[in-house]
Amino acid sequence: MGELSAGFGGFGSPLERLFSGDPRQWIEENLWIVDEEGILRPLVFDVSQGYYYGKIFPLKSFHESINALCLKDRAARWTTFVNAVIFAYVVNVPGVDAISVLHDDGAAEKTGRILDIFYDNLRAEAKGKKGHWDTHYREIEHGPPGGGGGIERRLVSSVSVSTARRKSFGRTQKFKIVNWDESGEYEETYERELATSIGGAMVPTAWVFKGSTSGGPGGLFHADWKAIKGGEVPG
């Protein structure tokens, strides 16, 4: 993972704060979305997104872990919030692999469009270079070793977008950020296999986001929710 240095900007700059685990200012100054009326506009967190942010961030360190569950309503914009966090780190930090797992193809396509809008409307100097880029996998190539920030290790970051039914994701990567979207709606036959597959492909300080509308009792999302509420696991 790339280390922080003055090469990433002065102390207290949006990029410096992003690297320390506080990405909000960078997101709001750099990312654009298409709203419900089809208008392209800057992404400024609304009340619900600001609430999510305040519950999860800022971190003490980029290397602190996150285990965040959100029982959301469909208008709460959790998906945009989490994908903004994912994109901010993939485009800025070498060696960050992320994955969003969705419950169906339509949700996966929507997430892919959000990521593409982020990239297409980012300032040229902030974009980085596209590597492999397709429906299920988007890759950013970072600068050469020693070219800034003391980067000496892996120079590629990526975000995978998949559905619960796909079997080909997450086999060779170690994920820093994992987004389980609408996990309460995953078919039970795939749910435990997913948990085992992706759980074994996460770094020890992974950021895990699980958001779902209410699906009633049962399933791993409900079990995780009870475990966190009961103090059995951190979150």
Side-chain angles (χ1 to χ4, degrees), residues 68-117:
L69 268 71
C70 176
L71 186 60
K72 60 179 184 174
D73 64 62
R74 294 192 181 274
R77 297 169 179 78
W78 169 263
T79 298
T80 299
F81 164 73
V82 175
N83 279 293
V85 171
I86 288 173
F87 184 85
Y89 283 94
V90 167
V91 82
N92 283 302
V93 184
V96 169
D97 288 317
I99 184 168
S100 282
V101 182
L102 293 307
H103 64 287
D104 62 25
D105 290 337
E109 291 173 6
K110 178 181 178 180
T111 291
R113 286 195 301 272
I114 291 171
L115 295 169
D116 289 343
I117 290 168

Side-chain angles (χ1 to χ4, degrees), residues 4 25 41 49 64-65 71 74 85 90 113 118 130-132 134 150 176 199 211 215 220 226:
L4 289 182
Q25 187 177 354
R41 62 172 179 82
Q49 290 164 334
E64 186 179 350
S65 61
L71 186 60
R74 294 192 181 274
V85 171
V90 167
R113 286 195 301 272
F118 287 163
K130 274 187 180 181
H132 185 87
D134 64 24
K176 171 64 177 178
L220 292 182
K226 290 196 300 181

Side-chain angles (χ1 to χ4, degrees), residues 140-194:
I140 296 291
E141 297 177 359
H142 296 278
I151 299 169
E152 298 175 354
R153 304 182 189 175
R154 188 165 177 257
L155 302 181
V156 172
S157 297
S158 70
V159 54
S160 301
V161 178
S162 188
T163 64
R165 286 180 171 272
R166 291 190 75 227
K167 306 293 184 183
S168 59
F169 61 83
R171 302 306 186 195
T172 61
Q173 296 161 287
K174 287 292 185 180
F175 295 112
K176 171 64 177 178
I177 310 176
V178 177
N179 174 32
W180 305 75
D181 197 70
E182 290 293 354
S183 55
E185 296 188 19
Y186 297 169
E187 293 184 20
E188 189 172 351
T189 52
Y190 297 100
E191 194 172 29
R192 295 194 179 276
E193 180 181 347
L194 275 170

